DNA sequence: AGTGAAACGAACCCTTG
DNA sequence: CAAGGGTTCGTTTCACT
């Protein structure tokens, strides 16, 4: 977990290729960035040890898994103190519908990305798992029509 | 791209393990779900062909890549018609700061997840790349204090 | 559709430039 | 820090159940 990491052009190339497909083999990767496979493996391991590479996520089709309705819930928690906030975070992460949770600045403190089985499931989630909690002051629901991933993240 | 996919308990186990670490080797995966490696490989390939598995993302530390400031931008586009919306989407995705873009229901039509080098970079992004555009009626900026990933997505 | 063995290819380690 | 070569390990194929 080195804090200051120096990244040369080869490292950046590696990160670019792996962000495109995290399952690229070391051999392919080495050829793509123009170094020997042994060197390339070393670079990737260093990036892992340095904490630049945190892991690799599987991208799945939520609709094909029976969750065709995705939404963002904006949640205002009041009063906004740790003894109330921490259990709220735990409860949100325990829901099978939760894909991601963000703590934000602004009046609506939390943003929750959820994937629901149906409108009824989403309604149950909002009413029973969010607004029913005493620390939750307000919930806004916005459906996701479509989403796009950005390009590779680089300095 | 079969539309209706039947997923048995082994498939669900596979998806659970791979969502935890998409780089799990086929041998490990087979042992974890209790089938032979050859069978396991077949299952994973089927899940790919069926479009359940879409790909695998590299999780990187944005701060270590020189982008320590993450934020959500809520953007209202007006008037909300395709000839204006499509170029807007292209422009957002062309920004190196963009991590993800969502088209939502509600008055603020778009939500943009961005990672900026600094407050000045974020300000430039908002002023020059968003509010400067004629189709952008309003931008709200909310910094991300902290974020959490949800558990594996399953039916 | 699942298995086990056998052939192939990649990853890893260590030594050298 | 990069490269080459040898060993180890994993992946992939295939005949069989």
């Amino acid at each position: 977990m080195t804090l200051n990491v120096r990244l040369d052009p080869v490292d950046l190339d590696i990160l670019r290729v792996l962000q495109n497909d995290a399952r690229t083999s070391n051999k392919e990767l080495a050829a793509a960035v123009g170094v020997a496979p042994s060197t390339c493996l070393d670079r990737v391991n260093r990036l892992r040890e340095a904490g630049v590479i945190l892991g690799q996520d599987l991208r799945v089709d939520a609709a094909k898994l029976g969750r065709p309705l995705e939404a963002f819930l904006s949640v205002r928690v009041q009063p906004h103190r740790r003894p109330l906030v921490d259990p709220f975070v735990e409860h949100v992460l325990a829901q099978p519908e939760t894909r991601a949770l963000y703590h934000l600045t602004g009046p609506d403190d939390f943003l929750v990305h959820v994937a629901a089985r149906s409108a009824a499931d989403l309604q149950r989630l909002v009413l029973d798992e969010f607004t029913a909690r005493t620390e939750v002051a307000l919930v806004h629901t916005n459906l996701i029509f479509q989403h796009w991933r950005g390009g590779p993240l680089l300095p």
Side-chain angles (χ1 to χ4, degrees), chain A:
Chain A
M1 271 283 204
T2 316
L3 280 182
N4 263 348
V5 195
R6 280 190 37 80
L7 299 167
D8 70 12
V10 174
D11 293 317
L12 298 184
D13 263 2
I14 287 174
L15 290 168
R16 207 192 322 273
V17 173
L18 284 183
Q19 283 184 70
N20 217 0
D21 181 3
R23 224 161 136 265
T24 308
S25 80
N26 184 62
K27 198 193 177 187
E28 273 182 276
L29 183 60
V33 306
V35 294
S38 52
T39 305
C40 186
L41 191 67
D42 209 48
R43 293 296 194 112
V44 174
N45 285 335
R46 280 166 196 275
L47 288 170
R48 281 183 204 288
E49 282 158 26
V52 177
I53 294 176
L54 296 170
Q56 39 280 322
D57 290 344
L58 196 71
R59 204 143 33 85
V60 296
D61 186 326
K64 292 231 169 76
L65 286 172
R67 301 188 174 276
L69 213 59
E70 294 196 63
F72 275 106
L73 309 182
S74 295
V75 183
R76 190 175 304 188
V77 172
Q78 228 172 24
H80 201 195
R81 293 192 227 96
R82 254 196 204 281
L84 282 158
V85 164
D86 289 352
F88 170 77
V89 168
E90 285 311 309
H91 181 252
V92 172
L93 292 177
Q95 303 305 315
E97 285 85 359
T98 301
R99 300 204 69 177
L101 171 62
Y102 302 91
H103 186 194
L104 304 182
T105 61
D108 289 338
D109 318 294
F110 286 94
L111 194 66
V112 194
H113 181 181
V114 299
R117 270 181 277 274
S118 63
D121 182 34
L122 185 59
Q123 184 189 32
R124 181 201 59 77
L125 192 71
V126 172
L127 292 179
D128 297 345
E129 306 299 345
F130 284 85
T131 53
R133 293 179 68 89
T134 54
E135 76 271 27
V136 172
L138 192 69
V139 180
H140 274 148
T141 306
N142 289 106
L143 294 186
I144 301 175
F145 283 140
Q146 195 177 355
H147 64 104
W148 298 262
R149 302 192 304 134
L153 194 69
L154 296 168

